[in-house]
Amino acid sequence: MSQSELKSSAAWIAVDWGTSNVRAWAMDDRANILDQVSSRLGMNAIAADAALGFEGVLIDLIGRWLPSGASDRMRVVICGMAGAKQGWLEAPYCSVPVRPDELASGAVRPVLSDQRIDVAILPGLKQVDDPDVMRGEETQLVGFMASQPGFDGWVCLPGTHSKWARVSGGAILGFKTYMSGEVFALLSGQSILRHSMDDRWDDATFEAAIRDASDAPTGFLHKLFTVRAGGLVGNANAANVAGAAVLSGAVIGSEIADVVGALDGNAQIALIGDGKLAGLYRKALAVHGFDAHAVDGQAITIAGLAAAHQAIRNA
Amino acid sequence: MSQSELKSSAAWIAVDWGTSNVRAWAMDDRANILDQVSSRLGMNAIAADAALGFEGVLIDLIGRWLPSGASDRMRVVICGMAGAKQGWLEAPYCSVPVRPDELASGAVRPVLSDQRIDVAILPGLKQVDDPDVMRGEETQLVGFMASQPGFDGWVCLPGTHSKWARVSGGAILGFKTYMSGEVFALLSGQSILRHSMDDRWDDATFEAAIRDASDAPTGFLHKLFTVRAGGLVGNANAANVAGAAVLSGAVIGSEIADVVGALDGNAQIALIGDGKLAGLYRKALAVHGFDAHAVDGQAITIAGLAAAHQAIRNA
């Protein structure tokens, strides 16, 4: 499709504005993607550079999709950190339990210099008891629920701050965040365990660590040190162990042990993402006898933004 | 005591050479401290600077204690990282179970340029099953055992890599390392939780986190995130919680929960150190009904080096 055709056909713009990246999609009225663009100007980069502002960054990113002549304002629907306190304009958290239309009605509208756009920033989600928050993932959950309206179970969103959400009856009932990704990154990159990380990987080692994390959950901080000590004690079995597989299994295993403790054996689990990390979560869940259904992360982000766009338009 | 009196009376020199510091003591023949000195030239600083060598750093540190005229060589007994593979000369680990005299007989002698000294570097300790290692703490354990020959119980050495050693019948039977100190430092200084650290402290919060760590051990990675989320959800109870007390309680509580699971209710526990960290361990153990006996860390280091000196002299 040529640029001129695209310009005439984009009906609205979907944006996922994260901590370290921003991605935007030009959408038509039937939720098809016409074009996409991304940059490293996430919330942190904008906060760190006084010369940058959210509106200017957005216009630079999506300007080529905006009509040049007089026209209705282009609706831009944004999820993620643009709505954080340190973001563009704070979109206060909605509380669980919540339904998708309630989330959309919590969108906020920043004052704009550019008259060609109309921006809605979606709220994050909070849980007051067992304090927890998310920003961005709630929109993925909405997109997931739109694609599987009858889903009754848990949705896992692995990542820096891994999330598990309980979804039932068309609502998000509650959720739980685990610092697994950040803890793994700190330990593998900056702790003494960095000396024990290499390219070796072994599924059986990973799966054994997943089981250990469940059988001996208080042993977590000791298990970490065995990654280092294994290479020093002259125990050939221990020295030949892939350190990254033990560390990864200990961290993901701790999270999974906590979650499966709250599940019955027939629980449905949907796993967002199809990359390497989601593959590890799938293996970890299989150790506990659960078969997780994998769902594409970007597709549900866009579906969630499309659902919000529709709810805002119909409001 | 004047410098000349000291020179004539120092009988041997005790050295604790750690990763980031080195401390030395001029000792008389009855294990009294005549003088002491320390510097930041631990193993890492020497490894990072090609102009530095262990022998030169040692002579700079203790030179003023060495006799100027012809005399027997001064015995220098060293524990800690000087004996690591990346240290001065590797002193291979001894295996548990081990008795103090076996440890002393594992000392190694580096080739020296300076004819005034005679250096013995003590070995570390390893455990092959449930892989684990220590370097330096084994000498503290020897010093502790010299002061309490009949001790039968567990000795806790809190720190970056916290150690718990089983001591009975005059031997070290086994031990377990927990990465508690390093994990706390990374999380409080470099993770998203750094925004939730402040000067507030609350013992009841710390003790509640100690109990949580034992009651819900798989919840560790989630509990960490509540430190962050508590300040964001508008729950006054959660927002007013001292983040450092929760984080500290979660980390130390995980370690303590693992240890007390292996103890009977009458177990003796000795806690090395009398600073703030040892105080937290004492409180955490009290939550589980254990009364730990505090022991001065420097005193037992010197006592351990003195025991090794005597064993080497008598060998």
Side-chain angles (χ1 to χ4, degrees), chain A residues 86 93 126-128 130-133 161 163 176-180 182-183 186-187 190-193 217-222 224-226 228-230 232-233 235 238 251 254 257-258, chain B residues 86 93 126-128 130-133 161 163 176-180 182-183 186-187 190-193 217-222 224-226 228-230 232-233 235 238 251 254 257-258:
Chain A
Q86 316 91 314
Y93 295 108
K126 72 178 176 184
Q127 179 170 273
V128 178
D130 190 11
D132 218 324
V133 291
H161 299 153
K163 313 271 182 191
K176 221 166 167 179
T177 302
Y178 296 82
M179 283 186 62
S180 311
E182 187 166 12
V183 166
L186 286 170
L187 289 170
Q190 298 190 55
S191 83
I192 195 165
L193 303 186
T218 57
F220 180 71
L221 295 168
H222 170 60
L224 298 181
F225 193 73
T226 66
R228 171 70 176 156
L232 298 173
V233 298
N235 171 341
V251 173
S254 174
D258 196 53
Chain B
Q86 316 90 313
Y93 295 108
K126 73 177 175 183
Q127 178 171 274
V128 178
D130 189 11
D132 218 324
V133 292
H161 298 153
K163 312 273 182 191
K176 222 167 167 178
T177 302
Y178 297 82
M179 283 186 63
S180 310
E182 187 166 12
V183 166
L186 286 170
L187 289 171
Q190 298 190 54
S191 82
I192 194 166
L193 304 186
T218 56
F220 181 71
L221 295 169
H222 170 60
L224 298 180
F225 193 72
T226 66
R228 170 71 176 156
L232 298 174
V233 299
N235 172 339
V251 173
S254 174
D258 197 52

Side-chain angles (χ1 to χ4, degrees), chain A residues 107-127:
Chain A
V108 297
R109 306 290 173 89
V111 175
L112 300 166
S113 303
D114 195 306
Q115 303 301 312
R116 294 174 297 168
I117 55 173
D118 176 11
V119 168
I121 302 175
L122 296 170
L125 197 52
K126 72 178 176 184
Q127 179 170 273

Side-chain angles (χ1 to χ4, degrees), chain A:
Chain A
M1 180 180 297
S2 76
Q3 192 74 359
S4 59
E5 283 174 306
L6 171 65
K7 279 182 181 171
S8 63
S9 56
W12 65 286
I13 293 168
V15 179
D16 179 10
W17 213 316
T19 303
S20 41
N21 291 286
V22 51
R23 296 177 297 166
W25 298 271
M27 306 294 296
D28 74 10
D29 255 330
R30 293 175 303 277
N32 295 309
I33 300 171
L34 303 177
D35 197 8
Q36 55 187 310
V37 67
S38 67
S39 95
R40 306 287 292 175
L41 294 175
M43 179 187 69
N44 283 352
I46 296 174
D49 185 345
L52 293 176
F54 279 88
E55 183 175 349
V57 169
L58 179 65
I59 294 295
D60 280 352
L61 203 64
I62 66 166
R64 58 185 169 132
W65 299 335
L66 301 178
S68 47
S71 161
D72 284 349
R73 289 180 176 218
M74 178 80 77
R75 170 68 48 78
V76 181
V77 182
I78 305 179
C79 69
M81 298 307 285
K85 194 172 281 186
Q86 316 91 314
W88 186 346
L89 176 65
E90 186 176 6
Y93 295 108
C94 292
S95 283
V96 287
V98 74
R99 306 180 70 87
D101 54 339
E102 294 170 317
L103 268 169
S105 70
V108 297
R109 306 290 173 89
V111 175
L112 300 166
S113 303
D114 195 306
Q115 303 301 312
R116 294 174 297 168
I117 55 173
D118 176 11
V119 168
I121 302 175
L122 296 170
L125 197 52
K126 72 178 176 184
Q127 179 170 273
V128 178
D129 298 328
D130 190 11
D132 218 324
V133 291
M134 60 169 68
R135 272 204 191 273
E137 296 92 346
E138 75 295 326
T139 302
Q140 293 193 293
L141 292 170
V142 167
F144 172 78
M145 292 157 73
S147 72
Q148 298 199 32
F151 184 83
D152 182 356
W154 290 82
V155 182
C156 171
L157 303 105
T160 302
H161 299 153
S162 183
K163 313 271 182 191
W164 284 82
R166 177 82 180 90
V167 170
S168 183
I172 304 166
L173 303 183
F175 61 101
K176 221 166 167 179
T177 302
Y178 296 82
M179 283 186 62
S180 311
E182 187 166 12
V183 166
F184 180 84
L186 286 170
L187 289 170
S188 63
Q190 298 190 55
S191 83
I192 195 165
L193 303 186
R194 69 187 184 277
H195 303 299
S196 307
M197 298 294 112
D198 56 32
D199 291 337
R200 292 181 300 169
W201 182 265
D202 178 58
D203 274 346
T205 299
F206 173 75
E207 287 160 9
I210 294 290
R211 271 186 291 272
D212 278 358
S214 178
D215 294 345
T218 57
F220 180 71
L221 295 168
H222 170 60
K223 182 79 178 181
L224 298 181
F225 193 73
T226 66
V227 173
R228 171 70 176 156
L232 298 173
V233 298
N235 171 341
N237 290 335
N240 288 325
V241 160
V246 180
L247 177 55
S248 181
V251 173
I252 295 176
S254 174
E255 172 185 334
I256 298 288
D258 196 53
V259 171
V260 300
L263 300 182
D264 72 51
N266 297 318
Q268 279 197 75
I269 298 176
L271 187 56
I272 307 303
D274 48 13
K276 193 183 159 202
L277 184 61
L280 293 180
Y281 274 73
R282 170 181 273 283
K283 283 194 184 104
L285 285 161
V287 168
H288 287 280
F290 289 94
D291 181 25
H293 170 64
V295 180
D296 179 67
Q298 176 168 304
I300 62 166
T301 299
I302 295 168
L305 288 162
H309 174 246
Q310 196 164 2
I312 290 169
R313 199 173 47 180
N314 296 343

Side-chain angles (χ1 to χ4, degrees), chain B residues 258-278:
Chain B
D258 197 52
V259 172
V260 300
L263 301 182
D264 71 52
N266 297 318
Q268 280 196 74
I269 299 176
L271 187 55
I272 307 303
D274 47 13
K276 193 183 158 203
L277 184 62

